Amino acid sequence: MAFFTTLTSRTFSHSAMMSNSIKNVTVIGSGLMGAGIAQVAAQTGHSVIMVDIDDALVSKAQKRIQDSIQRVAKKKFGENEEASKFISESLSHLTTSTDAVTSVGSADLVVEAIVENLDIKKKLFMQLDKAAPSHTIFASNTSSLSIAKIADATDRKDRFGGLHFFNPVPVMKLLEVVRIPETSEATFSKMTQFGKTMGKVIVQCKDTPGFIANHLIVPYLLAAIRLVERGDGTMEDVDTAMKLGAGYPMGPFEVLDHIGVDLFKSISEDWSTRFPEEQAYRVPSTLVKKVEEGKLGRKTGEGFYKYN
Ligand code: 3HC
């Protein structure tokens, strides 16, 4: 069964524009986060275009979405007809493209979830700014970069903000909605409403490093790596301690493999450059080594742990 279609056209959402709601969503980037955002947006009735640079990446994301949406459907409806209907209806809202510029032509909202690199994100938004209608809101799902610095690439800072989702997006209930000083009330309200429509619980954040959750999670994960580097505990014991002693669903090394060791290395490199005086943000040598070895976590079959 052909689950997905490739983008040919999407109707311009006059109604969404007039009614203050977001209907047409373009998600740029089809990695773990981008695919998850596209999936949940489609599940909740938005018309979604998911974009990546080539067909291979898009196909990989489609496979991930198919697996995930089946789990969501099973949880919601069991294994009956309603589950199949939910899956086919959700996927009918989702198209794919490898052309970011044409994919924003009728977007009410663009959510960017590409590599954590400020220059690459700015270059993308500069191009999209010229191609998107004036009402389109731009949001970055960056984990750690400054939203204001990304927004600098555009002439729509009043229609710019952060929408920071958590992995796995179909499961994690939190959405951080980030505003910069220029973000208009109308933009903030539309982003918040969009998040609620996606079934998320919203927390309002300022454009500070890591917003709320990652501001606390990042130093914690770095401290766990350093603890093991010093030989003060084993990785397995640290994970067990945090699961059974603090009630966390995953230990820090499981979380690192879950989110991607390379993503986490980018975050800590960026923060250690921005805040050189902050010892807690220094990049541990273990992270550098893991990335050099291609041990990036679950997605490559090995990170701190090995996976089948
Ligand atoms: N899609 C759909 N459903 C999924 C899923 C996915 N990708 N992953 C898990 N699920 C569902 C399962 O189907 C299962 O449903 P059920 O309750 O009906 O059986 C349920 O979630 C639980 O899954 P599992 O039984 O497979 O495993 P766990 O009970 O261990 O839960 C987990 C998995 C939800 C990932 C849980 O371990 C967890 O919450 N871990 C913490 C994750 C975390 O810390 N995320 C934040 C990382 S930081 C971040 O994202 C910010 C970024 O900027 C870096």
Side-chain angles (χ1 to χ4, degrees), residues 123-142:
K123 197 170 159 208
L124 171 73
F125 275 117
M126 203 180 288
Q127 288 171 341
L128 301 184
D129 198 25
K130 296 190 186 93
S134 64
H135 79 281
T136 309
I137 292 174
F138 285 179
S140 175
N141 176 58
T142 181

Side-chain angles (χ1 to χ4, degrees), residues 33 68 71-72 75 143 164-168 170-172 214 217 249-250 255 258-259 263 267:
M33 299 306 289
S68 174
R71 294 170 82 174
V72 173
K75 190 167 189 165
S143 301
H164 183 227
F165 292 85
F166 291 79
N167 183 17
V171 179
M172 304 303 281
N214 276 351
I217 293 171
M250 286 177 170
V255 170
H258 173 73
I259 61 178
L263 168 68
I267 296 173

